[in-house]
Amino acid sequence: MNILITLCARGGSKGIPGKNIKLIAGKPLIAYSINLTNKLKEKWNLKVALSTDDSEIKSVALEYGVFSDYVRPEYLATDVAGKIDTIKDLLLYEESLVDHQYDFILDLDVTSPLRTAEDVEKALELMIANSEAKNLFSVNTAARNPYFNMVEENANGFYSLVKTNPDGSVMTRQSAPKVYDLNASFYWYRRSFFESDSKSAITDKSLIYTMNHICFDLDHQVDFLFMEYLLQNNKLDFEL
């Protein structure tokens, strides 16, 4: 089984400038994802590939053992470039260097590093067990539920629940259908996924892996401060 792990890290960032290599608890953010790949190498035959438009990110990744001579095209280094297209371009480049196709692609989101080797290993087991699954993404149980306490504006200017249960109104959050938050931490893909024209990780054959621990994406400065507090003060109930 051949596995390609992709790390996609653009240089520009509106919320947290330079966040992909910004120090957090003494290490560049990208180092947490690279360190995870080193643990996975003990079990799997894999290649780690980096997609970036930033030379400084390349230099920092190299310090932690990831070399890349791939150059992300300009059209994939914009705010509107899709993640799927970015991964596919990197995948095709990496496959051009070897004499085989990869069986599975694991995309580790650099800005959501609170995941463990056990998380991604168990998630792959779910993929292998379901041959029809095109991909899988990590989630957490949602704190809010569109059947119970999330509303949206109607055409008439009033507000109502985002979703309604066909069996009638849901009176408690516990009785509402289960929903999940994508935590943007990791995504597994079968190689065949990239032979389709899908532009989204959410398909008609997607699986989820529910994390039983905290995980969130660094999107704003306050997120960074919160995560740094957790790491510096050993507040996580799991080991990265």
Side-chain angles (χ1 to χ4, degrees), residues 161-206:
L161 285 170
V162 174
K163 292 180 72 70
T164 56
N165 193 318
D167 297 329
S169 62
V170 174
M171 303 307 295
T172 66
R173 184 171 62 84
Q174 290 76 14
S175 63
K178 281 190 175 181
V179 295
Y180 303 89
D181 282 332
L182 276 72
N183 55 35
S185 188
F186 66 86
Y187 303 78
W188 276 109
Y189 299 94
R190 275 198 163 84
R191 177 60 178 82
S192 56
F193 175 93
F194 294 97
E195 295 169 4
S196 69
D197 294 325
S198 178
K199 301 297 183 182
S200 171
I202 303 174
T203 74
D204 59 344
K205 294 290 179 64
S206 295

Side-chain angles (χ1 to χ4, degrees), residues 30-195:
I30 196 173
Y32 289 91
S33 295
I34 295 175
N35 288 345
L36 176 61
T37 68
N38 292 331
K39 293 181 180 179
L40 298 175
K41 283 178 181 177
E42 298 173 4
K43 291 196 172 187
W44 298 333
N45 176 33
L46 60 84
K47 168 69 186 298
V48 182
L50 173 67
S51 173
T52 186
D53 58 332
D54 189 281
S55 59
E56 192 172 0
I57 292 176
K58 276 192 175 186
S59 297
V60 172
L62 184 58
E63 290 178 18
Y64 285 85
V66 175
F67 168 76
S68 177
D69 54 8
Y70 170 80
V71 179
R72 187 189 294 196
E74 288 186 10
Y75 76 93
L76 292 176
T78 68
D79 290 335
V80 297
K83 186 71 173 290
I84 301 300
D85 288 337
T86 300
I87 296 172
K88 183 176 181 178
D89 194 70
L90 178 60
L91 168 64
L92 294 178
Y93 173 80
E94 291 295 334
E95 288 184 339
S96 73
L97 304 178
V98 295
D99 59 357
H100 62 263
Q101 286 191 331
Y102 288 94
D103 300 303
F104 292 95
I105 295 86
L106 170 63
D107 181 56
L108 297 178
D109 198 309
V110 173
T111 63
S112 185
L114 299 185
R115 90 287 269 186
T116 68
E118 182 181 25
D119 287 328
V120 295
E121 289 168 11
K122 286 185 174 180
L124 179 57
E125 291 173 4
L126 292 175
M127 281 282 289
I128 293 173
N130 190 327
S131 60
E132 292 187 19
K134 296 178 181 178
N135 68 326
L136 173 151
F137 40 82
S138 59
V139 301
N140 284 103
T141 301
R144 295 281 177 178
N145 193 302
Y147 290 91
F148 180 67
N149 56 9
M150 295 181 68
V151 299
E152 64 182 347
E153 186 178 5
N154 298 326
N156 60 8
F158 292 99
Y159 290 78
S160 60
L161 285 170
V162 174
K163 292 180 72 70
T164 56
N165 193 318
D167 297 329
S169 62
V170 174
M171 303 307 295
T172 66
R173 184 171 62 84
Q174 290 76 14
S175 63
K178 281 190 175 181
V179 295
Y180 303 89
D181 282 332
L182 276 72
N183 55 35
S185 188
F186 66 86
Y187 303 78
W188 276 109
Y189 299 94
R190 275 198 163 84
R191 177 60 178 82
S192 56
F193 175 93
F194 294 97
E195 295 169 4

